[in-house]
Amino acid sequence: MSELIVQNLCKKFKNTEILKNISFTAEKGDCIGLLGVNGSGKSTLLSILAKITKPSSGNVSISSFGYVPQQNPLIEELSVYDNLLLWYSKKDLKNQLQSGLINKLELDDFLKTKVHKLSGGQKKRVSIACAVCNSPQVLLLDEPSAALDFICKEKIVSYYREFIKSGGTILMATHDIQEIELCNRWFVIKNAKLIPYQYNRKEEICRFLENT
């Protein structure tokens, strides 16, 4: 069975149609890129799949999932460690930090630091660690590397590769070339519709992003 099945999904805000008859599936090991200009509906689609926003019509079937929104979801006044304890037991967190998937996010150096003192990249890594607390089969990512420096991007993309290699599925809204090239399938949201996109070369996607 597919990890994610979306059938005839529609969303309207007042009289504006944001998403129209969106249908697609995602399998184990898929990494799907959602492309499109700001305001095209990428974030709305992800928030519907994450069961935060209700669709106007249509159906979604999704395996266990973790969601990393575009905005920082962490509690700024708490330390990284205390934020993680909102999602993990102490025993599970210790195991994950030592040898689990979140070990690859390299959080040890700033576990005791309060979130408001972290860089954007560090916050993103903690957000991902929270999102994978229940070992989800699907990761929903909304522009996960926006405004991150090169080193942080490398660490996060390395984590995505491990997640996919382990059989996980990723659906990400992104404008980042490195993330786009990580994907094996791509869609463009344009005029409220989801359109399959055939990515061939880095130069081609750069021209596409410049012209949309």
Side-chain angles (χ1 to χ4, degrees), residues 45-63:
L45 175 57
L46 288 172
S47 67
I48 289 174
L49 301 184
K51 302 181 181 180
I52 293 172
T53 301
K54 290 185 177 181
S56 300
S57 61
N59 298 299
V60 174
S61 174
I62 187 170
S63 300

Side-chain angles (χ1 to χ4, degrees), residues 131-185:
V132 299
C133 66
N134 293 318
S135 301
Q137 294 169 284
V138 180
L139 273 181
L140 305 171
L141 308 171
D142 195 350
E143 299 199 14
S145 66
L148 302 189
D149 61 48
F150 178 77
I151 294 175
C152 284
K153 285 183 183 180
E154 283 289 328
K155 292 181 185 297
I156 292 174
V157 168
S158 176
Y159 173 81
Y160 298 154
R161 290 194 182 99
E162 290 292 331
F163 183 79
I164 295 165
K165 186 178 179 180
S166 70
T169 302
I170 293 178
L171 179 65
M172 66 167 75
T174 181
H175 289 162
D176 184 83
I177 290 295
Q178 194 173 10
E179 289 173 346
I180 289 170
E181 292 185 327
L182 182 66
C183 299
N184 66 313
R185 295 167 61 199

Side-chain angles (χ1 to χ4, degrees), residues 26-53:
E27 313 298 331
K28 286 185 178 181
D30 270 346
C31 184
I32 299 176
L34 289 176
L35 312 177
V37 299
N38 293 335
S40 60
K42 303 186 300 296
S43 294
T44 300
L45 175 57
L46 288 172
S47 67
I48 289 174
L49 301 184
K51 302 181 181 180
I52 293 172
T53 301

Side-chain angles (χ1 to χ4, degrees), residues 194-207:
L194 191 71
I195 305 167
Y197 181 79
Q198 184 62 48
Y199 169 67
N200 294 314
R201 299 181 308 277
K202 180 176 178 178
E203 294 78 10
E204 180 182 334
I205 199 70
C206 286
R207 287 195 299 271

Side-chain angles (χ1 to χ4, degrees), residues 37-106:
V37 299
N38 293 335
S40 60
K42 303 186 300 296
S43 294
T44 300
L45 175 57
L46 288 172
S47 67
I48 289 174
L49 301 184
K51 302 181 181 180
I52 293 172
T53 301
K54 290 185 177 181
S56 300
S57 61
N59 298 299
V60 174
S61 174
I62 187 170
S63 300
S64 60
F65 67 88
Y67 174 51
V68 181
Q70 195 172 141
Q71 302 299 321
N72 170 35
L74 305 172
I75 299 177
E76 295 273 337
E77 295 77 16
L78 297 181
S79 69
V80 170
Y81 184 76
D82 288 337
N83 268 275
L84 291 169
L85 282 180
L86 297 174
W87 301 92
Y88 295 86
S89 69
K90 287 187 177 181
K91 181 180 178 180
D92 287 343
L93 180 55
K94 181 179 179 180
N95 291 336
Q96 282 289 329
L97 289 168
Q98 287 178 344
S99 59
L101 276 174
I102 69 170
N103 171 263
K104 300 182 184 302
L105 292 169
E106 300 180 13

